[in-house]
Amino acid sequence: QVQLVESGGGVVQPGGSLRLSCAASGFTFSSYGMHWVRQAPGKGLEWVAFIRNDGSDKYYRDSVKGRFTISRDNSKNTVSLQMNSLRDEDTAVYYCAKDGAYGFNYDYWGQGTLVTVSS
Amino acid sequence: QSALTQPASVSGSPGQSITISCTGTSSDVGGYTYVSWYQQHPGKVPKLMIYDVSNRPSGVSNRFSGSKSGNTASLTISGLQAEDEADYYCSSYTSSRTLVFGGGTKLTVL
């Protein structure tokens, strides 16, 4: 069965950096795009970034462009999110999600990892 | 990247049907079939309920259905059950090569 396991969350000061990782199993990882989605405490879902199956294309929401970088290693079945210049408003649970077979939906989700940006 | 517009809350009695709307623009909901819906119970991970406007993943009850007209997509739940009480989110691909969620709708089963 599909499993997505995020790691790397924690507490970081404003302006700091953090790298999230997501280990995937149970499907042909190299065949699917992957997303990062976040949810601030008590708030709604917010799409963050997407990477195509072969890493050839990457999309970001405007508020993280230039600060966050999504990447993947198809030999290790992992997708990562490098987060720099973190702000208070980046505080959220970050979910790794698999793109659906027909594209641009999230058919499987990890359990999430909490990122807290606070001084 | 403005969020898609959903009602903050809807409610219905067991056995009834409800519809949740998701309004965007011709640059997102109206321009693509990449509209999907998610159910999230408190403290739980979101679950895909509808993809590509009206398709149900395997294992999702046929009480859930999706549709789209112009710039507005809709999720209908028929035969409401207590277990349907949750938050629901729509999502769409956009012409800016991004994705966007709706603000979420809290469904209360009376």
Side-chain angles (χ1 to χ4, degrees), chain A residues 20-91:
Chain A
L20 306 183
S21 293
C22 171
S25 61
F27 65 102
T28 305
F29 183 72
S30 59
S31 295
Y32 294 92
M34 297 294 295
H35 300 267
W36 285 97
V37 176
R38 67 186 179 185
Q39 187 168 33
K43 302 297 184 182
L45 300 172
E46 187 172 80
W47 171 81
V48 175
F50 167 79
I51 186 168
R52 287 203 182 272
N53 64 307
D54 59 1
S56 61
D57 221 353
K58 304 174 185 180
Y59 307 162
Y60 300 93
R61 69 177 299 103
D62 287 347
S63 62
V64 308
K65 276 181 187 174
R67 299 190 299 123
F68 290 12
T69 302
I70 189 171
S71 61
R72 66 188 295 158
D73 185 338
N74 285 348
S75 68
K76 296 181 179 178
N77 288 2
T78 59
V79 59
S80 298
L81 187 69
Q82 177 66 43
M83 304 186 296
N84 299 331
S85 303
L86 282 161
R87 306 168 180 167
D88 291 349
E89 55 264 34
D90 296 318
T91 293

Side-chain angles (χ1 to χ4, degrees), chain B residues 21 50 53 61:
Chain B
S21 61
I50 297 288
V53 176
S61 170

Side-chain angles (χ1 to χ4, degrees), chain B residues 1-81:
Chain B
Q1 284 164 325
S2 299
L4 305 175
T5 301
Q6 297 181 232
S9 63
V10 298
S11 62
S13 299
Q16 287 186 330
S17 293
I18 64 95
T19 296
I20 299 171
S21 61
C22 171
T23 300
T25 69
S26 58
S27 296
D28 38 62
V29 173
Y32 302 93
T33 59
Y34 298 125
V35 177
S36 51
W37 289 90
Y38 302 84
Q39 176 192 65
Q40 186 179 33
H41 288 108
K44 300 297 185 180
V45 173
K47 176 185 177 182
L48 176 65
M49 305 302 285
I50 297 288
Y51 67 94
D52 288 0
V53 176
S54 60
N55 293 285
R56 268 188 319 274
S58 174
V60 171
S61 170
N62 59 10
R63 297 186 298 106
F64 291 82
S65 62
S67 63
K68 188 180 81 167
S69 177
N71 297 335
T72 298
S74 299
L75 173 71
T76 297
I77 309 173
S78 59
L80 266 182
Q81 299 179 359

